[in-house]
């Protein structure tokens, strides 16, 4: 006959192994055999079994869709900021290299269109403004400032263009000096 404390230790170890889904060595009546109401009826199976997968899937979709949309929107805004900075810089450089104001304006607008197209932004949502510190913008030593604005639309939004739903309004400006020797 074994001592009583060894029997209790063996049974406790058996229940621990059973809880960890390991094979138990049998120590009498287990919780399933006792018909524990928390465990459910052993003949019918556990009614709570499998619901964690459904809950995880539902909650992950519920939480991940807004997070992914937020990341895509921030990416659009970041791309828009790169686009307006590049467009303003190139437009100012092209403007000061032209011979007359009308061709300089046309060249600056073309530079803005190309820079925005490189980043995939529509040119209909862009604005361009040219400002000079003198009356003659193309005189030697004149400072020409080109400001480009862009309204970045919300991504994947149906009827976004018609409703004019914008994620952000971005502006960038660049200044170039007209060289003395052109």
């Amino acid at each position: 006959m074994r001592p009583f404390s060894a029997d209790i230790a063996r049974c406790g170890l058996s229940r621990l192994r059973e809880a960890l889904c390991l094979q138990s060595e049998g120590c009498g009546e287990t919780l399933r055999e006792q018909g524990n109401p928390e465990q459910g009826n052993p003949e019918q199976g556990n009614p709570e079994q499998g619901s964690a997968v459904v809950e995880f899937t539902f909650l992950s979709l519920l939480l991940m869709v807004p997070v992914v949309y937020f990341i895509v929107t921030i990416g659009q805004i970041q791309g828009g900021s790169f686009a307006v900075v590049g467009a303003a810089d190139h437009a100012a450089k092209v403007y000061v290299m032209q011979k007359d104001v009308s061709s300089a304006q046309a060249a600056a607008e073309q530079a803005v269109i190309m820079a925005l197209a490189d980043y995939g932004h529509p040119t209909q949502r862009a604005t361009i403004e040219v400002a000079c510190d003198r009356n003659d913008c193309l005189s030697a030593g004149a400072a020409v400032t080109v400001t480009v604005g862009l309204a970045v639309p919300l991504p994947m939004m149906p009827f976004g263009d018609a409703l004019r739903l914008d994620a952000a309004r971005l502006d960038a400006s660049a200044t170039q000096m007209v060289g003395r020797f052109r």
Side-chain angles (χ1 to χ4, degrees):
M1 185 159 214
R2 288 181 288 194
F4 182 70
S5 62
D7 228 10
I8 292 176
R10 186 178 56 82
C11 188
L13 186 61
S14 174
R15 288 187 186 229
L16 177 65
R17 292 177 62 87
E18 188 177 300
L20 295 173
C21 297
L22 300 173
Q23 187 178 13
S24 65
E25 297 156 359
C27 65
E29 198 173 24
T30 63
L31 288 176
R32 264 192 214 110
E33 292 168 355
Q34 294 171 0
N36 189 352
E38 293 177 3
Q39 295 293 326
N41 191 349
E43 287 83 28
Q44 294 176 349
N46 192 349
E48 296 292 319
Q49 192 173 18
S51 67
V53 174
V54 174
E55 291 170 4
F56 177 76
T57 304
F58 178 72
L59 288 176
S60 64
L61 282 176
L62 190 66
L63 295 175
M64 291 303 289
V65 168
V67 169
V68 169
Y69 189 78
F70 177 73
I71 291 170
V72 169
T73 303
I74 294 299
Q76 287 287 101
I77 293 171
Q78 184 70 31
S81 68
F82 287 148
V84 294
V85 167
D89 187 43
H90 290 295
K93 288 177 183 177
V94 167
Y95 192 94
V96 298
M97 298 301 293
Q98 302 303 313
K99 301 280 184 206
D100 60 10
V101 176
S102 63
S103 65
Q105 184 71 28
E109 288 175 1
Q110 187 65 29
V112 168
I113 289 170
M114 288 176 58
L116 292 177
D118 284 344
Y119 286 94
H121 289 282
T123 55
Q124 297 82 11
R125 294 178 159 264
T127 59
I128 181 172
E129 297 175 15
V130 178
C132 304
D133 64 345
R134 299 182 184 169
N135 288 338
D136 184 14
C137 285
L138 295 175
S139 64
V144 177
T145 302
V146 177
T147 303
V148 177
L150 177 67
V152 178
L154 284 171
M156 301 176 284
M157 187 62 64
F159 310 113
D161 292 334
L163 298 174
R164 303 291 285 181
L165 300 173
D166 296 333
R169 174 80 186 157
L170 305 171
D171 294 310
S173 50
T175 303
Q176 289 288 320
M177 302 293 287
V178 178
R180 190 180 338 175
F181 306 107
R182 289 191 277 146

